[in-house]
Tab-separated table of all heavy atoms in Angstrom:
chain	number	residue	atom	x	y	z
A	175	VAL	N	-11.462	30.257	-24.299
A	175	VAL	CA	-10.990	31.581	-24.755
A	175	VAL	C	-11.164	32.648	-23.670
A	175	VAL	O	-10.665	33.771	-23.820
A	175	VAL	CB	-11.694	32.038	-26.052
A	175	VAL	CG1	-11.282	31.158	-27.215
A	175	VAL	CG2	-13.209	32.045	-25.885
A	176	GLY	N	-11.855	32.297	-22.599
A	176	GLY	CA	-12.016	33.278	-21.536
A	176	GLY	C	-12.850	32.704	-20.408
A	176	GLY	O	-13.309	31.555	-20.470
A	177	PHE	N	-13.014	33.501	-19.372
A	177	PHE	CA	-13.886	33.085	-18.259
A	177	PHE	C	-14.415	34.323	-17.564
A	177	PHE	O	-13.837	35.410	-17.646
A	177	PHE	CB	-13.112	32.208	-17.256
A	177	PHE	CG	-11.968	32.911	-16.579
A	177	PHE	CD1	-12.159	33.692	-15.445
A	177	PHE	CD2	-10.682	32.814	-17.102
A	177	PHE	CE1	-11.101	34.350	-14.837
A	177	PHE	CE2	-9.608	33.481	-16.502
A	177	PHE	CZ	-9.828	34.256	-15.372
A	178	GLU	N	-15.559	34.136	-16.912
A	178	GLU	CA	-16.113	35.150	-16.017
A	178	GLU	C	-16.429	34.423	-14.720
A	178	GLU	O	-16.979	33.312	-14.767
A	178	GLU	CB	-17.438	35.686	-16.552
A	178	GLU	CG	-17.345	36.508	-17.810
A	178	GLU	CD	-18.744	36.927	-18.256
A	178	GLU	OE1	-19.575	36.037	-18.530
A	178	GLU	OE2	-18.991	38.130	-18.300
A	179	GLY	N	-16.125	35.043	-13.574
A	179	GLY	CA	-16.381	34.326	-12.335
A	179	GLY	C	-16.877	35.212	-11.220
A	179	GLY	O	-16.578	36.409	-11.160
A	180	ILE	N	-17.679	34.602	-10.351
A	180	ILE	CA	-17.988	35.187	-9.041
A	180	ILE	C	-17.044	34.471	-8.095
A	180	ILE	O	-17.256	33.300	-7.761
A	180	ILE	CB	-19.471	34.955	-8.670
A	180	ILE	CG1	-20.355	35.774	-9.611
A	180	ILE	CG2	-19.728	35.316	-7.205
A	180	ILE	CD1	-21.834	35.544	-9.414
A	181	LEU	N	-15.956	35.134	-7.715
A	181	LEU	CA	-14.842	34.447	-7.078
A	181	LEU	C	-14.594	34.910	-5.648
A	181	LEU	O	-13.597	34.547	-5.050
A	181	LEU	CB	-13.564	34.641	-7.926
A	181	LEU	CG	-13.663	34.081	-9.348
A	181	LEU	CD1	-12.470	34.524	-10.191
A	181	LEU	CD2	-13.753	32.562	-9.330
A	182	ASN	N	-15.508	35.703	-5.124
A	182	ASN	CA	-15.395	36.118	-3.714
A	182	ASN	C	-16.754	35.976	-3.042
A	182	ASN	O	-17.724	36.641	-3.422
A	182	ASN	CB	-14.876	37.556	-3.633
A	182	ASN	CG	-14.715	38.015	-2.192
A	182	ASN	OD1	-15.626	38.576	-1.599
A	182	ASN	ND2	-13.568	37.740	-1.598
A	183	GLY	N	-16.800	35.082	-2.032
A	183	GLY	CA	-18.059	34.794	-1.353
A	183	GLY	C	-18.621	35.986	-0.605
A	183	GLY	O	-19.832	36.233	-0.608
A	184	THR	N	-17.721	36.735	0.042
A	184	THR	CA	-18.177	37.870	0.847
A	184	THR	C	-18.910	38.887	-0.013
A	184	THR	O	-20.019	39.329	0.319
A	184	THR	CB	-16.958	38.548	1.517
A	184	THR	OG1	-16.349	37.590	2.372
A	184	THR	CG2	-17.371	39.780	2.301
A	185	SER	N	-18.310	39.294	-1.115
A	185	SER	CA	-18.925	40.358	-1.917
A	185	SER	C	-20.239	39.871	-2.530
A	185	SER	O	-21.211	40.634	-2.620
A	185	SER	CB	-17.966	40.880	-2.990
A	185	SER	OG	-17.428	39.811	-3.682
A	186	ASN	N	-20.299	38.586	-2.887
A	186	ASN	CA	-21.563	38.098	-3.445
A	186	ASN	C	-22.642	38.013	-2.374
A	186	ASN	O	-23.817	38.327	-2.625
A	186	ASN	CB	-21.364	36.738	-4.117
A	186	ASN	CG	-22.420	36.477	-5.167
A	186	ASN	OD1	-22.663	37.324	-6.031
A	186	ASN	ND2	-23.088	35.336	-5.070
A	187	PHE	N	-22.221	37.637	-1.168
A	187	PHE	CA	-23.158	37.608	-0.041
A	187	PHE	C	-23.685	39.021	0.236
A	187	PHE	O	-24.887	39.223	0.445
A	187	PHE	CB	-22.428	37.056	1.198
A	187	PHE	CG	-23.229	37.117	2.456
A	187	PHE	CD1	-24.124	36.107	2.780
A	187	PHE	CD2	-23.096	38.194	3.328
A	187	PHE	CE1	-24.873	36.170	3.946
A	187	PHE	CE2	-23.841	38.266	4.500
A	187	PHE	CZ	-24.729	37.246	4.805
A	188	VAL	N	-22.784	39.998	0.224
A	188	VAL	CA	-23.175	41.383	0.496
A	188	VAL	C	-24.174	41.861	-0.565
A	188	VAL	O	-25.222	42.446	-0.240
A	188	VAL	CB	-21.923	42.302	0.547
A	188	VAL	CG1	-22.311	43.773	0.516
A	188	VAL	CG2	-21.101	41.991	1.801
A	189	LEU	N	-23.891	41.587	-1.828
A	189	LEU	CA	-24.816	42.022	-2.896
A	189	LEU	C	-26.180	41.348	-2.750
A	189	LEU	O	-27.229	41.973	-2.929
A	189	LEU	CB	-24.212	41.727	-4.273
A	189	LEU	CG	-23.004	42.587	-4.649
A	189	LEU	CD1	-22.364	42.092	-5.944
A	189	LEU	CD2	-23.410	44.061	-4.800
A	190	THR	N	-26.170	40.063	-2.397
A	190	THR	CA	-27.439	39.341	-2.234
A	190	THR	C	-28.245	39.938	-1.080
A	190	THR	O	-29.462	40.146	-1.188
A	190	THR	CB	-27.174	37.834	-1.974
A	190	THR	OG1	-26.383	37.330	-3.045
A	190	THR	CG2	-28.464	37.039	-1.882
A	191	ARG	N	-27.552	40.239	0.036
A	191	ARG	CA	-28.250	40.823	1.178
A	191	ARG	C	-28.776	42.228	0.850
A	191	ARG	O	-29.848	42.615	1.313
A	191	ARG	CB	-27.331	40.876	2.398
A	191	ARG	CG	-27.216	39.548	3.116
A	191	ARG	CD	-28.624	39.026	3.430
A	191	ARG	NE	-28.623	37.794	4.174
A	191	ARG	CZ	-28.704	37.717	5.502
A	191	ARG	NH1	-28.785	38.786	6.245
A	191	ARG	NH2	-28.727	36.541	6.084
A	192	MET	N	-28.013	42.967	0.057
A	192	MET	CA	-28.476	44.319	-0.325
A	192	MET	C	-29.738	44.207	-1.191
A	192	MET	O	-30.625	45.059	-1.113
A	192	MET	CB	-27.370	45.089	-1.056
A	192	MET	CG	-26.258	45.554	-0.108
A	192	MET	SD	-24.858	46.294	-0.967
A	192	MET	CE	-25.491	47.946	-1.325
A	193	GLU	N	-29.834	43.149	-1.998
A	193	GLU	CA	-31.063	42.940	-2.782
A	193	GLU	C	-32.257	42.728	-1.852
A	193	GLU	O	-33.396	43.031	-2.195
A	193	GLU	CB	-30.910	41.747	-3.736
A	193	GLU	CG	-30.044	42.080	-4.924
A	193	GLU	CD	-29.659	40.851	-5.749
A	193	GLU	OE1	-30.112	39.728	-5.421
A	193	GLU	OE2	-28.901	41.036	-6.708
A	194	GLY	N	-31.971	42.195	-0.652
A	194	GLY	CA	-33.025	42.019	0.358
A	194	GLY	C	-33.256	43.269	1.189
A	194	GLY	O	-34.000	43.222	2.167
A	195	GLY	N	-32.547	44.355	0.887
A	195	GLY	CA	-32.805	45.634	1.548
A	195	GLY	C	-31.804	46.032	2.621
A	195	GLY	O	-31.910	47.111	3.206
A	196	LEU	N	-30.815	45.160	2.921
A	196	LEU	CA	-29.835	45.497	3.953
A	196	LEU	C	-28.820	46.506	3.381
A	196	LEU	O	-28.439	46.415	2.210
A	196	LEU	CB	-29.109	44.205	4.367
A	196	LEU	CG	-28.499	44.131	5.760
A	196	LEU	CD1	-29.572	44.267	6.841
A	196	LEU	CD2	-27.772	42.793	5.939
A	197	GLY	N	-28.361	47.461	4.205
A	197	GLY	CA	-27.365	48.430	3.750
A	197	GLY	C	-26.004	47.772	3.580
A	197	GLY	O	-25.743	46.704	4.147
A	198	PHE	N	-25.103	48.421	2.838
A	198	PHE	CA	-23.780	47.863	2.539
A	198	PHE	C	-23.014	47.513	3.827
A	198	PHE	O	-22.547	46.386	3.996
A	198	PHE	CB	-22.976	48.871	1.685
A	198	PHE	CG	-21.585	48.424	1.386
A	198	PHE	CD1	-21.329	47.523	0.356
A	198	PHE	CD2	-20.509	48.885	2.136
A	198	PHE	CE1	-20.039	47.101	0.082
A	198	PHE	CE2	-19.214	48.462	1.864
A	198	PHE	CZ	-18.985	47.581	0.835
A	199	ALA	N	-22.913	48.491	4.755
A	199	ALA	CA	-22.100	48.275	5.965
A	199	ALA	C	-22.673	47.135	6.819
A	199	ALA	O	-21.925	46.290	7.329
A	199	ALA	CB	-22.028	49.560	6.781
A	200	GLU	N	-24.008	47.097	6.926
A	200	GLU	CA	-24.639	46.027	7.724
A	200	GLU	C	-24.384	44.668	7.065
A	200	GLU	O	-24.132	43.672	7.744
A	200	GLU	CB	-26.156	46.230	7.843
A	200	GLU	CG	-26.585	47.431	8.655
A	200	GLU	CD	-26.729	48.686	7.799
A	200	GLU	OE1	-26.058	48.775	6.742
A	200	GLU	OE2	-27.497	49.576	8.171
A	201	ALA	N	-24.460	44.637	5.746
A	201	ALA	CA	-24.250	43.369	5.035
A	201	ALA	C	-22.813	42.889	5.218
A	201	ALA	O	-22.570	41.692	5.416
A	201	ALA	CB	-24.576	43.533	3.547
A	202	VAL	N	-21.839	43.812	5.208
A	202	VAL	CA	-20.439	43.431	5.417
A	202	VAL	C	-20.269	42.882	6.842
A	202	VAL	O	-19.620	41.849	7.046
A	202	VAL	CB	-19.485	44.627	5.168
A	202	VAL	CG1	-18.056	44.278	5.594
A	202	VAL	CG2	-19.511	45.042	3.697
A	203	SER	N	-20.883	43.559	7.834
A	203	SER	CA	-20.773	43.061	9.219
A	203	SER	C	-21.338	41.659	9.335
A	203	SER	O	-20.791	40.792	10.023
A	203	SER	CB	-21.548	43.935	10.200
A	203	SER	OG	-21.112	45.234	10.125
A	204	LYS	N	-22.451	41.429	8.664
A	204	LYS	CA	-23.089	40.103	8.710
A	204	LYS	C	-22.135	39.043	8.116
A	204	LYS	O	-21.995	37.945	8.670
A	204	LYS	CB	-24.392	40.171	7.895
A	204	LYS	CG	-25.291	38.982	8.031
A	204	LYS	CD	-26.102	39.035	9.324
A	204	LYS	CE	-26.599	37.651	9.684
A	204	LYS	NZ	-26.882	37.453	11.081
A	205	ALA	N	-21.471	39.399	7.005
A	205	ALA	CA	-20.525	38.463	6.374
A	205	ALA	C	-19.355	38.171	7.313
A	205	ALA	O	-18.855	37.044	7.360
A	205	ALA	CB	-20.010	39.038	5.053
A	206	GLN	N	-18.939	39.185	8.087
A	206	GLN	CA	-17.853	38.961	9.052
A	206	GLN	C	-18.323	38.036	10.165
A	206	GLN	O	-17.623	37.106	10.543
A	206	GLN	CB	-17.383	40.287	9.639
A	206	GLN	CG	-16.460	41.023	8.685
A	206	GLN	CD	-16.024	42.361	9.251
A	206	GLN	OE1	-16.862	43.214	9.515
A	206	GLN	NE2	-14.745	42.534	9.427
A	207	GLU	N	-19.551	38.295	10.641
A	207	GLU	CA	-20.124	37.441	11.689
A	207	GLU	C	-20.164	35.982	11.243
A	207	GLU	O	-19.898	35.072	12.013
A	207	GLU	CB	-21.581	37.848	11.918
A	207	GLU	CG	-21.897	38.555	13.202
A	207	GLU	CD	-23.327	39.077	13.115
A	207	GLU	OE1	-24.258	38.274	12.922
A	207	GLU	OE2	-23.494	40.317	13.197
A	208	LEU	N	-20.526	35.762	9.988
A	208	LEU	CA	-20.679	34.397	9.490
A	208	LEU	C	-19.346	33.767	9.098
A	208	LEU	O	-19.293	32.610	8.690
A	208	LEU	CB	-21.636	34.382	8.289
A	208	LEU	CG	-23.094	34.691	8.649
A	208	LEU	CD1	-23.925	34.951	7.406
A	208	LEU	CD2	-23.700	33.529	9.437
A	209	GLY	N	-18.254	34.561	9.187
A	209	GLY	CA	-16.915	34.006	8.933
A	209	GLY	C	-16.527	33.976	7.463
A	209	GLY	O	-15.531	33.363	7.113
A	210	TYR	N	-17.288	34.603	6.579
A	210	TYR	CA	-16.899	34.624	5.159
A	210	TYR	C	-15.815	35.667	4.914
A	210	TYR	O	-14.872	35.448	4.169
A	210	TYR	CB	-18.075	34.998	4.240
A	210	TYR	CG	-19.303	34.156	4.392
A	210	TYR	CD1	-20.571	34.740	4.424
A	210	TYR	CD2	-19.205	32.777	4.476
A	210	TYR	CE1	-21.707	33.977	4.555
A	210	TYR	CE2	-20.343	32.003	4.618
A	210	TYR	CZ	-21.586	32.608	4.665
A	210	TYR	OH	-22.695	31.854	4.797
A	211	ALA	N	-16.033	36.851	5.525
A	211	ALA	CA	-15.153	37.982	5.214
A	211	ALA	C	-13.827	37.856	5.955
A	211	ALA	O	-13.749	37.235	7.006
A	211	ALA	CB	-15.835	39.283	5.621
Side-chain angles (χ1 to χ4, degrees):
V175 292
F177 63 85
E178 292 178 300
I180 292 175
L181 299 170
N182 181 269
T184 298
S185 49
N186 204 50
F187 174 85
V188 167
L189 291 172
T190 304
R191 280 307 183 94
M192 286 173 79
E193 285 169 3
L196 205 62
F198 177 81
E200 292 90 334
V202 171
S203 303
K204 190 79 200 156
Q206 281 178 300
E207 251 170 59
L208 291 168
Y210 305 136

